[in-house]
Amino acid sequence: MKKNVSTLIRLSQKAKYSGLFLALLAASPFANAQTKDQNVTVDGKTFKDLNKNGKLDIWEDTRLSVDKRIDAIIKQMTNAEKVNLLIGTGMPGIEVLTGPIGDSKQGLVPGAAGGTDSFERFGIPATIVADGPAGLRIAPTRENDSKTYYATAFPVGTALASTWNKTLLEQVGKAMGNEVKEYGVDVLLAPALNIHRNPLNGRNFEYYSEDPLISGKTAAAIVNGIQSQGVGTSIKHFAANNEESNRLTINAHVSERAMRELYLRNFEIAVKESQPWTVMSSYNKLNGVYTSDSEDLLTQVLRNEWGFKGIVMTDWFGGFPGFESIRDGGISDVVKQMNAGNDLLMPGIPAQKKVLLAALDSGKLSQEVANLNVKRILEYVFKTPTFAQYKYSNKPNLTQNAEVTRNAATEGMVLLKNDKNALPFADKQKEVSLFGVTSYAWITGGTGSGSVNNKHTVSLLEGLNAAGYKLDKELVDLYKPHAEKEVVAEKERRKARGILALPERLPELKMDDAFIAKKAETSE
């Protein structure tokens, strides 16, 4: 997404740099540069003219190290440009929840969760990040476009970890990465690998295990698979994210030993064995400090001890004490977040930009810290398919990826106890009673960021019918219309509440004990 600087700033930049650049140009080999088809030729070598100015800028010279090219950009950036890079480009539809907070354009990939800003004068493109843990979450339909953009719904995290098969998990990652890249996204906001601490945690479905070794090894395999396709990941939620209730205000009290042995060990394994492009700091406080404000967590442990090289981004509105506070003009402690080593504030709102720019102008936020965070974000941008001008197809290999997800689902099924060989149930002439609204209105995994707009699902009802089982017709005739009605009602409710509306359990069909007892007698 492009954000224009004011005319005044543009003019001052032009006056400041044009004279210096022309003086250097006259004395350099760049003077022989020729422009053709947005390329620049110097001494017989051809380079991309990223900013289309007909000259070879230092950051366009691929003979130089990425480090030198990025440093050249940072030296020329204004404080306003630095701030625009440190804060995300917003999230379309978020105004429904927060009230008007600024202009959030849709970006290049409808349904994506946000991204980083573009800078025309450097030829730096906007990059795109999208959910999620169970597969790519983008909008299936687009304005003035008859095509449907489906993605594959992979098994939820707990099921994937239950395969205990790192080779298969890497295949899952490769399939996810294929869809991320071919739909024009740069980073998948996944995998999620927090510890199963409490069975009531609303996001347990996307986490792997109560065991940090399983969680870490599973995440590393997924990350290696995704990133083998030339796109990035964002492991999350760092750290001690153990509940969804009051998730923006909850304070997790954890001892140093428990943190090291349980809540950090899985992230350490994933970082050291797969080097994810990004890490997402969590919503919660940890021992009284928001994780996005914690220099101990994000710099000392993550970078200095584990050697993490990528960027840290907040979870969406991380560091805010609640969504209502955004409506009331509240703000995260942006200076503390920057000093802690949280490079990118997501999804980004104008109030954060205003405060951060004032802090940088006044010296409350040092140039040294801002430049370091900007550099890490530019290092990320330089790795992306978008920066490489990859021509994505919008046609991932959905057929092959469906086979991968089926294999993963099969291996993830775990039969804990099979008394008297009750399963498999092979006698298809005996009647089966199918209870439960979601046996008919199928949920293909988690919800929220774990949702995927997939092309094809098979409900339990459809699966049993296809396999030739004899079902209790009275139950089917009762449940089907009930389920259809409740699905429509839930969609309308969520549409009315906006983009972050929490999903609710579909109401069950009411039936008395006598009816249930009757079905127990007639059903196998």
Side-chain angles (χ1 to χ4, degrees):
M1 183 190 306
K2 187 179 79 171
K3 293 183 176 59
N4 294 320
V5 237
S6 70
T7 305
L8 183 61
I9 292 175
R10 278 190 181 279
L11 289 172
S12 66
Q13 288 168 353
K14 188 174 181 181
K16 182 177 179 182
Y17 299 119
S18 59
L20 176 61
F21 184 83
L22 288 171
L24 290 171
L25 183 66
S28 74
F30 300 167
N32 298 321
Q34 308 243 331
T35 306
K36 185 180 179 183
D37 298 329
Q38 298 177 6
N39 288 333
V40 178
T41 301
V42 177
D43 295 336
K45 297 185 186 300
T46 301
F47 305 87
K48 289 179 182 176
D49 184 14
L50 300 174
N51 57 4
K52 303 173 190 173
N53 65 355
K55 304 179 180 76
L56 181 63
D57 296 296
I58 295 173
W59 51 86
E60 296 167 339
D61 189 346
T62 53
R63 295 169 298 186
L64 301 175
S65 68
V66 169
D67 194 57
K68 287 182 178 177
R69 294 164 66 194
I70 288 173
D71 283 345
I73 293 174
I74 295 172
K75 282 178 185 175
Q76 291 206 24
M77 290 182 89
T78 65
N79 283 352
E81 287 172 325
K82 292 175 185 177
V83 168
N84 279 353
L85 189 59
L86 294 169
I87 292 179
T89 54
M91 184 179 183
I94 201 71
E95 293 84 357
V96 175
L97 187 67
T98 63
I101 57 172
D103 181 22
S104 293
K105 296 185 178 68
Q106 176 59 76
L108 299 175
V109 182
T116 60
D117 209 351
S118 63
F119 300 88
E120 193 173 298
R121 77 185 185 101
F122 300 115
I124 299 296
T127 67
I128 305 295
V129 302
D131 293 321
L136 182 65
R137 184 193 187 198
I138 58 173
T141 56
R142 301 177 183 181
E143 287 185 19
N144 305 315
D145 190 340
S146 61
K147 295 195 292 287
T148 307
Y149 298 81
Y150 293 113
T152 303
F154 295 88
V156 297
T158 310
L160 290 175
S162 297
T163 66
W164 291 67
N165 185 337
K166 290 195 293 183
T167 301
L168 178 61
L169 293 169
E170 198 160 328
Q171 290 172 359
V172 169
K174 287 178 180 177
M176 287 182 175
N178 165 250
E179 299 187 11
V180 171
K181 189 172 186 178
E182 292 307 324
Y183 276 134
V185 175
D186 297 291
V187 167
L188 185 68
L189 301 172
L193 61 151
N194 290 96
I195 296 298
H196 287 168
R197 175 64 180 84
N198 187 321
L200 300 180
N201 184 357
R203 294 183 88 159
N204 273 346
F205 67 88
E206 64 182 89
Y207 299 154
Y208 295 127
S209 174
E210 72 281 8
D211 184 293
L213 180 65
I214 297 172
S215 297
K217 293 288 185 180
T218 301
I222 296 282
V223 169
N224 283 327
I226 294 171
Q227 295 190 171
S228 72
Q229 304 305 293
V231 291
T233 57
S234 187
I235 63 172
K236 61 185 189 181
H237 308 88
F238 190 60
N241 179 245
N242 303 319
E243 71 172 71
E244 282 290 88
S245 300
N246 304 316
R247 62 184 182 169
L248 272 68
T249 54
I250 191 70
N251 182 18
H253 296 274
V254 190
S255 70
E256 180 75 11
R257 179 177 178 180
M259 281 300 298
R260 295 285 182 168
E261 293 182 1
L262 292 175
Y263 301 105
L264 294 182
R265 182 74 177 116
N266 49 345
F267 285 97
E268 181 181 7
I269 292 168
V271 166
K272 289 181 176 179
E273 296 187 7
S274 63
Q275 273 296 338
W277 286 14
T278 86
V279 168
M280 185 187 294
S281 55
S282 56
Y283 282 129
N284 54 282
K285 293 177 181 176
L286 180 57
N287 297 324
V289 179
Y290 275 117
T291 60
S292 60
D293 294 351
S294 176
E295 186 174 0
D296 179 61
L297 185 67
L298 304 183
T299 297
Q300 178 57 36
V301 174
L302 180 62
R303 298 188 190 281
N304 297 347
E305 293 186 24
W306 298 350
F308 176 65
K309 303 298 183 188
I311 67 170
V312 175
M313 68 173 76
T314 61
D315 203 340
W316 272 226
F317 299 106
F320 284 88
F323 290 114
E324 63 285 342
S325 77
I326 302 167
R327 286 195 297 268
D328 297 339
I331 193 168
S332 63
D333 192 331
V334 293
V335 174
K336 191 176 282 187
Q337 288 173 312
M338 290 290 116
N339 285 330
N342 200 120
D343 309 293
L344 180 61
L345 307 184
M346 295 299 287
I349 65 173
Q352 287 176 307
K353 285 189 179 181
K354 183 178 179 182
V355 173
L356 193 58
L357 181 57
L360 194 53
D361 286 341
S362 68
K364 186 178 178 183
L365 176 66
S366 72
Q367 289 289 336
E368 181 183 17
V369 168
N371 289 348
L372 177 59
N373 294 0
V374 164
K375 184 168 187 172
R376 288 194 285 238
I377 295 175
L378 287 174
E379 286 170 345
Y380 144 71
V381 171
F382 269 55
K383 290 194 293 187
T384 60
T386 296
F387 184 77
Q389 299 176 4
Y390 177 72
K391 291 179 171 55
Y392 56 91
S393 66
N394 276 326
K395 295 178 181 178
N397 197 335
L398 296 177
T399 301
Q400 181 177 303
N401 297 344
E403 186 176 340
V404 173
T405 197
R406 186 179 180 89
N407 291 341
T410 301
E411 288 205 27
M413 295 178 189
V414 179
L415 187 62
L416 296 178
K417 196 172 184 181
N418 194 16
D419 282 343
K420 301 178 183 176
N421 294 318
L423 297 176
F425 182 64
D427 190 342
K428 296 181 179 179
Q429 299 310 307
K430 294 182 178 180
E431 197 168 81
V432 174
S433 292
L434 188 59
F435 286 90
V437 66
T438 49
S439 297
Y440 299 81
W442 199 241
I443 298 174
T444 59
T447 52
S449 60
S451 298
V452 180
N453 296 304
N454 52 300
K455 182 176 183 179
H456 178 65
T457 63
V458 179
S459 71
L460 192 53
L461 172 67
E462 291 166 333
L464 289 170
N465 277 330
Y469 285 95
K470 182 181 178 183
L471 300 181
D472 184 310
K473 187 175 183 304
E474 185 181 11
L475 269 182
V476 171
D477 289 344
L478 283 171
Y479 264 111
K480 275 191 73 176
H482 170 76
E484 289 166 2
K485 182 189 77 170
E486 294 301 339
V487 166
V488 170
E490 168 69 358
K491 284 180 179 177
E492 289 299 315
R493 186 193 67 79
R494 291 181 67 179
K495 183 179 178 182
R497 293 194 183 182
I499 193 168
L500 290 185
L502 296 174
E504 292 184 2
R505 187 186 182 103
L506 297 179
E508 278 293 347
L509 186 66
K510 290 183 171 60
M511 51 185 68
D512 58 32
D513 290 346
F515 181 79
I516 295 170
K518 171 189 164 189
K519 294 301 170 189
E521 288 176 11
T522 59
S523 170
E524 195 63 30

mmCIF file with all atom_site columns, all heavy atoms in Angstrom, residues 273-290:
data_model
loop_
_atom_site.group_PDB
_atom_site.id
_atom_site.type_symbol
_atom_site.label_atom_id
_atom_site.label_alt_id
_atom_site.label_comp_id
_atom_site.label_asym_id
_atom_site.label_entity_id
_atom_site.label_seq_id
_atom_site.pdbx_PDB_ins_code
_atom_site.Cartn_x
_atom_site.Cartn_y
_atom_site.Cartn_z
_atom_site.occupancy
_atom_site.B_iso_or_equiv
_atom_site.pdbx_formal_charge
_atom_site.auth_seq_id
_atom_site.auth_comp_id
_atom_site.auth_asym_id
_atom_site.auth_atom_id
_atom_site.pdbx_PDB_model_num
ATOM 1   N N   . GLU A 1 273 ? 16.144 -24.370 14.485 1.00 0.00 ? 273 GLU A N   1
ATOM 2   C CA  . GLU A 1 273 ? 16.095 -25.420 13.464 1.00 0.00 ? 273 GLU A CA  1
ATOM 3   C C   . GLU A 1 273 ? 15.449 -24.979 12.156 1.00 0.00 ? 273 GLU A C   1
ATOM 4   O O   . GLU A 1 273 ? 15.496 -25.726 11.170 1.00 0.00 ? 273 GLU A O   1
ATOM 5   C CB  . GLU A 1 273 ? 15.371 -26.655 14.017 1.00 0.00 ? 273 GLU A CB  1
ATOM 6   C CG  . GLU A 1 273 ? 16.120 -27.304 15.182 1.00 0.00 ? 273 GLU A CG  1
ATOM 7   C CD  . GLU A 1 273 ? 15.513 -28.629 15.624 1.00 0.00 ? 273 GLU A CD  1
ATOM 8   O OE1 . GLU A 1 273 ? 14.580 -29.124 14.944 1.00 0.00 ? 273 GLU A OE1 1
ATOM 9   O OE2 . GLU A 1 273 ? 15.988 -29.166 16.642 1.00 0.00 ? 273 GLU A OE2 1
ATOM 10  N N   . SER A 1 274 ? 14.868 -23.767 12.125 1.00 0.00 ? 274 SER A N   1
ATOM 11  C CA  . SER A 1 274 ? 14.211 -23.360 10.873 1.00 0.00 ? 274 SER A CA  1
ATOM 12  C C   . SER A 1 274 ? 14.370 -21.878 10.524 1.00 0.00 ? 274 SER A C   1
ATOM 13  O O   . SER A 1 274 ? 14.031 -21.489 9.408  1.00 0.00 ? 274 SER A O   1
ATOM 14  C CB  . SER A 1 274 ? 12.713 -23.696 10.925 1.00 0.00 ? 274 SER A CB  1
ATOM 15  O OG  . SER A 1 274 ? 12.062 -22.968 11.947 1.00 0.00 ? 274 SER A OG  1
ATOM 16  N N   . GLN A 1 275 ? 14.862 -21.061 11.436 1.00 0.00 ? 275 GLN A N   1
ATOM 17  C CA  . GLN A 1 275 ? 15.036 -19.618 11.203 1.00 0.00 ? 275 GLN A CA  1
ATOM 18  C C   . GLN A 1 275 ? 13.834 -19.009 10.467 1.00 0.00 ? 275 GLN A C   1
ATOM 19  O O   . GLN A 1 275 ? 13.930 -18.595 9.295  1.00 0.00 ? 275 GLN A O   1
ATOM 20  C CB  . GLN A 1 275 ? 16.327 -19.333 10.432 1.00 0.00 ? 275 GLN A CB  1
ATOM 21  C CG  . GLN A 1 275 ? 17.548 -19.190 11.309 1.00 0.00 ? 275 GLN A CG  1
ATOM 22  C CD  . GLN A 1 275 ? 17.507 -17.998 12.273 1.00 0.00 ? 275 GLN A CD  1
ATOM 23  O OE1 . GLN A 1 275 ? 16.794 -17.030 12.061 1.00 0.00 ? 275 GLN A OE1 1
ATOM 24  N NE2 . GLN A 1 275 ? 18.272 -18.087 13.352 1.00 0.00 ? 275 GLN A NE2 1
ATOM 25  N N   . PRO A 1 276 ? 12.683 -18.920 11.127 1.00 0.00 ? 276 PRO A N   1
ATOM 26  C CA  . PRO A 1 276 ? 11.526 -18.261 10.494 1.00 0.00 ? 276 PRO A CA  1
ATOM 27  C C   . PRO A 1 276 ? 11.850 -16.821 10.150 1.00 0.00 ? 276 PRO A C   1
ATOM 28  O O   . PRO A 1 276 ? 12.658 -16.178 10.820 1.00 0.00 ? 276 PRO A O   1
ATOM 29  C CB  . PRO A 1 276 ? 10.440 -18.345 11.583 1.00 0.00 ? 276 PRO A CB  1
ATOM 30  C CG  . PRO A 1 276 ? 11.191 -18.497 12.866 1.00 0.00 ? 276 PRO A CG  1
ATOM 31  C CD  . PRO A 1 276 ? 12.414 -19.295 12.527 1.00 0.00 ? 276 PRO A CD  1
ATOM 32  N N   . TRP A 1 277 ? 11.210 -16.320 9.106  1.00 0.00 ? 277 TRP A N   1
ATOM 33  C CA  . TRP A 1 277 ? 11.457 -14.930 8.698  1.00 0.00 ? 277 TRP A CA  1
ATOM 34  C C   . TRP A 1 277 ? 11.005 -13.954 9.770  1.00 0.00 ? 277 TRP A C   1
ATOM 35  O O   . TRP A 1 277 ? 11.620 -12.920 9.966  1.00 0.00 ? 277 TRP A O   1
ATOM 36  C CB  . TRP A 1 277 ? 10.712 -14.605 7.399  1.00 0.00 ? 277 TRP A CB  1
ATOM 37  C CG  . TRP A 1 277 ? 11.315 -15.198 6.173  1.00 0.00 ? 277 TRP A CG  1
ATOM 38  C CD1 . TRP A 1 277 ? 12.267 -16.195 6.099  1.00 0.00 ? 277 TRP A CD1 1
ATOM 39  C CD2 . TRP A 1 277 ? 11.009 -14.853 4.815  1.00 0.00 ? 277 TRP A CD2 1
ATOM 40  N NE1 . TRP A 1 277 ? 12.555 -16.478 4.788  1.00 0.00 ? 277 TRP A NE1 1
ATOM 41  C CE2 . TRP A 1 277 ? 11.804 -15.667 3.982  1.00 0.00 ? 277 TRP A CE2 1
ATOM 42  C CE3 . TRP A 1 277 ? 10.131 -13.935 4.236  1.00 0.00 ? 277 TRP A CE3 1
ATOM 43  C CZ2 . TRP A 1 277 ? 11.744 -15.589 2.586  1.00 0.00 ? 277 TRP A CZ2 1
ATOM 44  C CZ3 . TRP A 1 277 ? 10.069 -13.855 2.851  1.00 0.00 ? 277 TRP A CZ3 1
ATOM 45  C CH2 . TRP A 1 277 ? 10.872 -14.667 2.032  1.00 0.00 ? 277 TRP A CH2 1
ATOM 46  N N   . THR A 1 278 ? 9.891  -14.274 10.427 1.00 0.00 ? 278 THR A N   1
ATOM 47  C CA  . THR A 1 278 ? 9.368  -13.357 11.438 1.00 0.00 ? 278 THR A CA  1
ATOM 48  C C   . THR A 1 278 ? 8.860  -14.113 12.650 1.00 0.00 ? 278 THR A C   1
ATOM 49  O O   . THR A 1 278 ? 8.529  -15.293 12.581 1.00 0.00 ? 278 THR A O   1
ATOM 50  C CB  . THR A 1 278 ? 8.223  -12.467 10.883 1.00 0.00 ? 278 THR A CB  1
ATOM 51  O OG1 . THR A 1 278 ? 6.980  -13.150 11.003 1.00 0.00 ? 278 THR A OG1 1
ATOM 52  C CG2 . THR A 1 278 ? 8.447  -12.078 9.434  1.00 0.00 ? 278 THR A CG2 1
ATOM 53  N N   . VAL A 1 279 ? 8.800  -13.394 13.771 1.00 0.00 ? 279 VAL A N   1
ATOM 54  C CA  . VAL A 1 279 ? 8.194  -13.883 15.010 1.00 0.00 ? 279 VAL A CA  1
ATOM 55  C C   . VAL A 1 279 ? 7.119  -12.880 15.404 1.00 0.00 ? 279 VAL A C   1
ATOM 56  O O   . VAL A 1 279 ? 7.331  -11.664 15.292 1.00 0.00 ? 279 VAL A O   1
ATOM 57  C CB  . VAL A 1 279 ? 9.239  -14.021 16.137 1.00 0.00 ? 279 VAL A CB  1
ATOM 58  C CG1 . VAL A 1 279 ? 8.567  -14.245 17.497 1.00 0.00 ? 279 VAL A CG1 1
ATOM 59  C CG2 . VAL A 1 279 ? 10.206 -15.158 15.838 1.00 0.00 ? 279 VAL A CG2 1
ATOM 60  N N   . MET A 1 280 ? 5.967  -13.362 15.852 1.00 0.00 ? 280 MET A N   1
ATOM 61  C CA  . MET A 1 280 ? 4.881  -12.482 16.277 1.00 0.00 ? 280 MET A CA  1
ATOM 62  C C   . MET A 1 280 ? 4.802  -12.457 17.800 1.00 0.00 ? 280 MET A C   1
ATOM 63  O O   . MET A 1 280 ? 4.611  -13.501 18.433 1.00 0.00 ? 280 MET A O   1
ATOM 64  C CB  . MET A 1 280 ? 3.539  -12.961 15.705 1.00 0.00 ? 280 MET A CB  1
ATOM 65  C CG  . MET A 1 280 ? 2.370  -12.021 16.009 1.00 0.00 ? 280 MET A CG  1
ATOM 66  S SD  . MET A 1 280 ? 0.771  -12.708 15.504 1.00 0.00 ? 280 MET A SD  1
ATOM 67  C CE  . MET A 1 280 ? 0.974  -12.755 13.723 1.00 0.00 ? 280 MET A CE  1
ATOM 68  N N   . SER A 1 281 ? 4.965  -11.268 18.373 1.00 0.00 ? 281 SER A N   1
ATOM 69  C CA  . SER A 1 281 ? 4.810  -11.148 19.830 1.00 0.00 ? 281 SER A CA  1
ATOM 70  C C   . SER A 1 281 ? 3.334  -11.274 20.189 1.00 0.00 ? 281 SER A C   1
ATOM 71  O O   . SER A 1 281 ? 2.455  -10.909 19.410 1.00 0.00 ? 281 SER A O   1
ATOM 72  C CB  . SER A 1 281 ? 5.388  -9.824  20.329 1.00 0.00 ? 281 SER A CB  1
ATOM 73  O OG  . SER A 1 281 ? 4.820  -8.723  19.654 1.00 0.00 ? 281 SER A OG  1
ATOM 74  N N   . SER A 1 282 ? 3.062  -11.776 21.372 1.00 0.00 ? 282 SER A N   1
ATOM 75  C CA  . SER A 1 282 ? 1.690  -12.124 21.760 1.00 0.00 ? 282 SER A CA  1
ATOM 76  C C   . SER A 1 282 ? 0.952  -10.925 22.361 1.00 0.00 ? 282 SER A C   1
ATOM 77  O O   . SER A 1 282 ? 1.528  -9.871  22.601 1.00 0.00 ? 282 SER A O   1
ATOM 78  C CB  . SER A 1 282 ? 1.708  -13.283 22.752 1.00 0.00 ? 282 SER A CB  1
ATOM 79  O OG  . SER A 1 282 ? 2.510  -12.972 23.884 1.00 0.00 ? 282 SER A OG  1
ATOM 80  N N   . TYR A 1 283 ? -0.348 -11.110 22.621 1.00 0.00 ? 283 TYR A N   1
ATOM 81  C CA  . TYR A 1 283 ? -1.163 -10.054 23.210 1.00 0.00 ? 283 TYR A CA  1
ATOM 82  C C   . TYR A 1 283 ? -0.873 -9.861  24.696 1.00 0.00 ? 283 TYR A C   1
ATOM 83  O O   . TYR A 1 283 ? -0.898 -8.746  25.206 1.00 0.00 ? 283 TYR A O   1
ATOM 84  C CB  . TYR A 1 283 ? -2.651 -10.397 23.071 1.00 0.00 ? 283 TYR A CB  1
ATOM 85  C CG  . TYR A 1 283 ? -3.241 -10.166 21.714 1.00 0.00 ? 283 TYR A CG  1
ATOM 86  C CD1 . TYR A 1 283 ? -3.975 -11.165 21.072 1.00 0.00 ? 283 TYR A CD1 1
ATOM 87  C CD2 . TYR A 1 283 ? -3.113 -8.938  21.066 1.00 0.00 ? 283 TYR A CD2 1
ATOM 88  C CE1 . TYR A 1 283 ? -4.555 -10.947 19.835 1.00 0.00 ? 283 TYR A CE1 1
ATOM 89  C CE2 . TYR A 1 283 ? -3.689 -8.713  19.831 1.00 0.00 ? 283 TYR A CE2 1
ATOM 90  C CZ  . TYR A 1 283 ? -4.418 -9.729  19.218 1.00 0.00 ? 283 TYR A CZ  1
ATOM 91  O OH  . TYR A 1 283 ? -4.983 -9.510  17.993 1.00 0.00 ? 283 TYR A OH  1
ATOM 92  N N   . ASN A 1 284 ? -0.651 -10.956 25.385 1.00 0.00 ? 284 ASN A N   1
ATOM 93  C CA  . ASN A 1 284 ? -0.655 -10.939 26.837 1.00 0.00 ? 284 ASN A CA  1
ATOM 94  C C   . ASN A 1 284 ? 0.546  -10.222 27.445 1.00 0.00 ? 284 ASN A C   1
ATOM 95  O O   . ASN A 1 284 ? 1.585  -10.043 26.808 1.00 0.00 ? 284 ASN A O   1
ATOM 96  C CB  . ASN A 1 284 ? -0.677 -12.382 27.366 1.00 0.00 ? 284 ASN A CB  1
ATOM 97  C CG  . ASN A 1 284 ? 0.448  -13.221 26.789 1.00 0.00 ? 284 ASN A CG  1
ATOM 98  O OD1 . ASN A 1 284 ? 0.358  -13.670 25.658 1.00 0.00 ? 284 ASN A OD1 1
ATOM 99  N ND2 . ASN A 1 284 ? 1.508  -13.413 27.544 1.00 0.00 ? 284 ASN A ND2 1
ATOM 100 N N   . LYS A 1 285 ? 0.371  -9.838  28.704 1.00 0.00 ? 285 LYS A N   1
ATOM 101 C CA  . LYS A 1 285 ? 1.515  -9.413  29.500 1.00 0.00 ? 285 LYS A CA  1
ATOM 102 C C   . LYS A 1 285 ? 2.189  -10.669 30.054 1.00 0.00 ? 285 LYS A C   1
ATOM 103 O O   . LYS A 1 285 ? 1.551  -11.703 30.263 1.00 0.00 ? 285 LYS A O   1
ATOM 104 C CB  . LYS A 1 285 ? 1.070  -8.520  30.653 1.00 0.00 ? 285 LYS A CB  1
ATOM 105 C CG  . LYS A 1 285 ? 0.514  -7.181  30.223 1.00 0.00 ? 285 LYS A CG  1
ATOM 106 C CD  . LYS A 1 285 ? 0.025  -6.385  31.429 1.00 0.00 ? 285 LYS A CD  1
ATOM 107 C CE  . LYS A 1 285 ? -0.564 -5.042  30.980 1.00 0.00 ? 285 LYS A CE  1
ATOM 108 N NZ  . LYS A 1 285 ? -1.126 -4.293  32.128 1.00 0.00 ? 285 LYS A NZ  1
ATOM 109 N N   . LEU A 1 286 ? 3.477  -10.543 30.300 1.00 0.00 ? 286 LEU A N   1
ATOM 110 C CA  . LEU A 1 286 ? 4.233  -11.623 30.917 1.00 0.00 ? 286 LEU A CA  1
ATOM 111 C C   . LEU A 1 286 ? 4.916  -11.041 32.141 1.00 0.00 ? 286 LEU A C   1
ATOM 112 O O   . LEU A 1 286 ? 5.784  -10.174 32.020 1.00 0.00 ? 286 LEU A O   1
ATOM 113 C CB  . LEU A 1 286 ? 5.262  -12.177 29.926 1.00 0.00 ? 286 LEU A CB  1
ATOM 114 C CG  . LEU A 1 286 ? 6.149  -13.317 30.402 1.00 0.00 ? 286 LEU A CG  1
ATOM 115 C CD1 . LEU A 1 286 ? 5.332  -14.508 30.871 1.00 0.00 ? 286 LEU A CD1 1
ATOM 116 C CD2 . LEU A 1 286 ? 7.114  -13.739 29.296 1.00 0.00 ? 286 LEU A CD2 1
ATOM 117 N N   . ASN A 1 287 ? 4.453  -11.497 33.297 1.00 0.00 ? 287 ASN A N   1
ATOM 118 C CA  . ASN A 1 287 ? 4.958  -10.953 34.566 1.00 0.00 ? 287 ASN A CA  1
ATOM 119 C C   . ASN A 1 287 ? 4.885  -9.431  34.591 1.00 0.00 ? 287 ASN A C   1
ATOM 120 O O   . ASN A 1 287 ? 5.822  -8.724  34.970 1.00 0.00 ? 287 ASN A O   1
ATOM 121 C CB  . ASN A 1 287 ? 6.384  -11.434 34.831 1.00 0.00 ? 287 ASN A CB  1
ATOM 122 C CG  . ASN A 1 287 ? 6.457  -12.946 34.992 1.00 0.00 ? 287 ASN A CG  1
ATOM 123 O OD1 . ASN A 1 287 ? 5.543  -13.564 35.546 1.00 0.00 ? 287 ASN A OD1 1
ATOM 124 N ND2 . ASN A 1 287 ? 7.521  -13.551 34.491 1.00 0.00 ? 287 ASN A ND2 1
ATOM 125 N N   . GLY A 1 288 ? 3.731  -8.918  34.141 1.00 0.00 ? 288 GLY A N   1
ATOM 126 C CA  . GLY A 1 288 ? 3.451  -7.497  34.243 1.00 0.00 ? 288 GLY A CA  1
ATOM 127 C C   . GLY A 1 288 ? 3.876  -6.650  33.063 1.00 0.00 ? 288 GLY A C   1
ATOM 128 O O   . GLY A 1 288 ? 3.599  -5.444  33.040 1.00 0.00 ? 288 GLY A O   1
ATOM 129 N N   . VAL A 1 289 ? 4.548  -7.217  32.066 1.00 0.00 ? 289 VAL A N   1
ATOM 130 C CA  . VAL A 1 289 ? 5.039  -6.453  30.912 1.00 0.00 ? 289 VAL A CA  1
ATOM 131 C C   . VAL A 1 289 ? 4.462  -7.049  29.632 1.00 0.00 ? 289 VAL A C   1
ATOM 132 O O   . VAL A 1 289 ? 4.538  -8.264  29.415 1.00 0.00 ? 289 VAL A O   1
ATOM 133 C CB  . VAL A 1 289 ? 6.586  -6.482  30.840 1.00 0.00 ? 289 VAL A CB  1
ATOM 134 C CG1 . VAL A 1 289 ? 7.080  -5.705  29.620 1.00 0.00 ? 289 VAL A CG1 1
ATOM 135 C CG2 . VAL A 1 289 ? 7.198  -5.928  32.120 1.00 0.00 ? 289 VAL A CG2 1
ATOM 136 N N   . TYR A 1 290 ? 3.867  -6.188  28.781 1.00 0.00 ? 290 TYR A N   1
ATOM 137 C CA  . TYR A 1 290 ? 3.411  -6.697  27.484 1.00 0.00 ? 290 TYR A CA  1
ATOM 138 C C   . TYR A 1 290 ? 4.595  -7.327  26.751 1.00 0.00 ? 290 TYR A C   1
ATOM 139 O O   . TYR A 1 290 ? 5.699  -6.783  26.737 1.00 0.00 ? 290 TYR A O   1
ATOM 140 C CB  . TYR A 1 290 ? 2.847  -5.558  26.627 1.00 0.00 ? 290 TYR A CB  1
ATOM 141 C CG  . TYR A 1 290 ? 1.399  -5.236  26.904 1.00 0.00 ? 290 TYR A CG  1
ATOM 142 C CD1 . TYR A 1 290 ? 1.024  -3.988  27.407 1.00 0.00 ? 290 TYR A CD1 1
ATOM 143 C CD2 . TYR A 1 290 ? 0.399  -6.177  26.669 1.00 0.00 ? 290 TYR A CD2 1
ATOM 144 C CE1 . TYR A 1 290 ? -0.312 -3.685  27.653 1.00 0.00 ? 290 TYR A CE1 1
ATOM 145 C CE2 . TYR A 1 290 ? -0.938 -5.884  26.912 1.00 0.00 ? 290 TYR A CE2 1
ATOM 146 C CZ  . TYR A 1 290 ? -1.287 -4.636  27.412 1.00 0.00 ? 290 TYR A CZ  1
ATOM 147 O OH  . TYR A 1 290 ? -2.612 -4.348  27.656 1.00 0.00 ? 290 TYR A OH  1
#
